[in-house]
Structures are given as structure tokens and as C-alpha cells.
Amino acid sequence: MARRPVAAVAAVTLMLEAVGIALLNWILGLVVDRQQMSMGGIDTDAMSVGTWVAGGLFGLYLLVCGVVLLRTAVRDRAPGRLARILLIICAVVHGLLGAFSVGLVGWPAFAFMMVVLGLIVLTLLGYEAESAAGPSAETASGDAPSPA
């Protein structure tokens, strides 16, 4: 099955996206700072620092998701419960960002978000089949599962 390459491609894509998001927010923070932009009376410094922090945190989140997918691809084992929840949240975020990006950025951004969403979901489903088939295959052969 081609689940290892899909997980590896998803990992690399998320890592590149993390760098892109961090750079984009860094540039936006510089623009806000240099042009002395303000929204609703908020201090310019607070807006630029908030942009940098938000971009760094979101980039770090995407990087962690990429590392989880890379670990899944290298080990060729299903991610654990916490990692699976992290990836599901990442997939939902990409779905929402894809829906918002159609109107704000355009169809190419939507297509990119949907490709990343598809890679994450395909990885989750590919490794779900293994974990679902594992216990049933043992019980079908008559071996009792060993206690953990």
C-alpha cells in the first residue's frame, strides 16, 4: 500500500507550509509596524508583535503535525491517540482555511488547502485500516489477544 509515501509527502508539505506561514506573518508584522497601521485604536507595536506571535505559534503547530506525519511514515505504524487528534484538528483547520481562502485569496489557495487536507485524511484512513484489522485478524486465527 502507498501509505508511507503519502504520509511522507504530507509531512514535507506541512513543514513547508509551516515555514511559509511563519514568513508570511513575519512580513505582515513588518508591514504593520513600518506603516504604523492601527485597527480600532490598538497600538501598532501590539499588532505587529501579535502577528509575529500568532504566525510563530501556527507555524510551530504545523511543524509539529508534520513531525507526527513524518514519524508515522518512518515507523509505518498508526499514530497514537493524541497524535491522531492533532492530525484531525489539523485537517479541520485546513478545511476551514480552504473555505475562507476561496473568497480572500482565490481558487489556487483553495486547491492547495484541499490537497493538504486530502493528504492528511488519506494518511489517517490508511493507517486506520491497519489498526482496525489488527485485533480482528488475531481473533480470527483463534489466538487470544495478550493483555497489555
Side-chain angles (χ1 to χ4, degrees), residues 20-132:
I21 290 291
L23 283 174
L24 177 67
N25 279 295
W26 178 66
I27 291 169
L28 288 175
L30 287 177
V31 169
V32 166
D33 191 40
R34 290 189 180 155
Q35 292 190 0
Q36 298 295 313
M37 293 180 179
S38 179
M39 189 166 66
I42 298 175
D43 185 33
T44 303
D45 292 333
M47 287 184 60
S48 62
V49 169
T51 303
W52 292 328
V53 169
L57 289 175
F58 191 52
L60 182 65
Y61 173 71
L62 290 174
L63 191 64
V64 167
C65 290
V67 168
V68 166
L69 283 170
L70 186 63
R71 183 175 178 218
T72 299
V74 168
R75 295 175 64 202
D76 199 25
R77 288 183 31 201
R81 180 177 294 182
L82 184 61
R84 185 172 291 276
I85 290 171
L86 188 76
L87 292 175
I88 290 170
I89 292 171
C90 187
V92 169
V93 166
H94 275 84
L96 290 172
L97 286 177
F100 291 137
S101 68
V102 171
L104 296 174
V105 183
W107 288 103
F110 172 78
F112 174 75
M113 288 293 166
M114 293 303 106
V115 166
V116 176
L117 170 68
L119 288 170
I120 295 169
V121 169
L122 193 58
T123 301
L124 286 169
L125 291 177
Y127 284 100
E128 177 69 25
E130 173 195 89
S131 62

